[in-house]
Amino acid sequence: MNLLKRLRIDPFTLTLLGTVLLASLLPVHGTAAEWMDDFTDFAIAALFFLHGARLSREAVMAGLLHWRLHLTILACTFVLFPLLGLVMHPLATHLVTPGLALGLLFLCALPSTVQSSIAFTSMAGGNVPAAVVSASASSLLGVFLTPVILALVVGSQGAMANPLDAMFKILLQLLVPFVAGHLLRPWIGGWVARRRAVLRYTDQSTILLVVYTAFSAAVREGLWRDTPVLSLLAVVVLCMVLLAVAMVLITFLARRLGFARADEISIVFCGSKKSLATGVPMAKVMFAGGSLGAIVLPLMLYHQIQLIVCAVVAQRYARAQGLPTEPPAD
């Protein structure tokens, strides 16, 4: 574990890789696959129910009035990233397989993370209440915006569902449980808060379950047979370039607009992150099972890259202000 910390490797990412390996060697088949698919849907709904119960109304009200900052973050997430994805797409189509290229576009259309965006903002000495509001708003708006954005940039490519149908399914499976959990917060919020550490593993277990079922289906459809090693390496490089360009542009934009240092930190971390916890369930709803593994692979890679890079950037911000520099877990 100490070695992983020194190398800035997230242990959860190693577990993700182990899950992909397990699905590659022992994919689930037949009736078991159908049962697991139904159980995964239930686990996803439970995950977002708990997310809704965790959301503090006090934190929301504390940052709600900083509308200029929130609009900037949302513009970075839902305008800047899709434009970068479109610019990168012609190159991606020459370097990677069609499924991976579609996965990069899907990555660019996703909302921001919640937990790690807030954690890195706090570590760097940024505006935490505003980060809570922006990251939470990004996740909620992503339910509506991600299918629409992806339909605009992808058109009829891939196995994407009809945008309105996808939006309805996402509303039913993600937003309805989220709202239900938040409405029940006065009664269950304390119980959820006391078990935050345990429920973090519930989040991760749900992601692992979705990844296993997705890659099982992809392996049955020939994912590894049809994906050259050079395509995998190219996806890693493209994710690194995407994050680097986005963070530079977002930092420049925040300073150009005259935001204070604390607000700049919130914009950089909330605007440059993409949510694995939201993206994997969304992909399951929006795409056919056979192509799902290739589509979520770029997101899994970007997830680890953003944790490593944001940990380094957060430490630099913290040192500049004389703050502790212990990296948070995602």
Side-chain angles (χ1 to χ4, degrees), residues 2 6 28 42 78 83 89 104 109 117-118 136 150 157 164 201 231 244 251 256 261 284 296 303 305:
N2 289 332
R6 287 198 296 270
V28 64
F42 170 78
F78 295 116
L83 290 176
H89 189 61
L104 286 167
S117 291
I118 297 168
S136 301
L150 200 61
Q157 295 183 46
L164 292 178
Y201 293 102
S231 287
T251 303
R256 185 74 175 176
R261 172 61 66 92
K284 185 178 183 300
V296 300
H303 169 79
I305 294 168

Side-chain angles (χ1 to χ4, degrees), residues 120-121 124-126 260-270 317 321:
F120 281 122
T121 298
R261 172 61 66 92
D263 293 339
E264 174 193 319
I265 291 170
S266 302
I267 293 169
V268 168
F269 289 119
C270 295
Y317 273 122
Q321 302 174 78

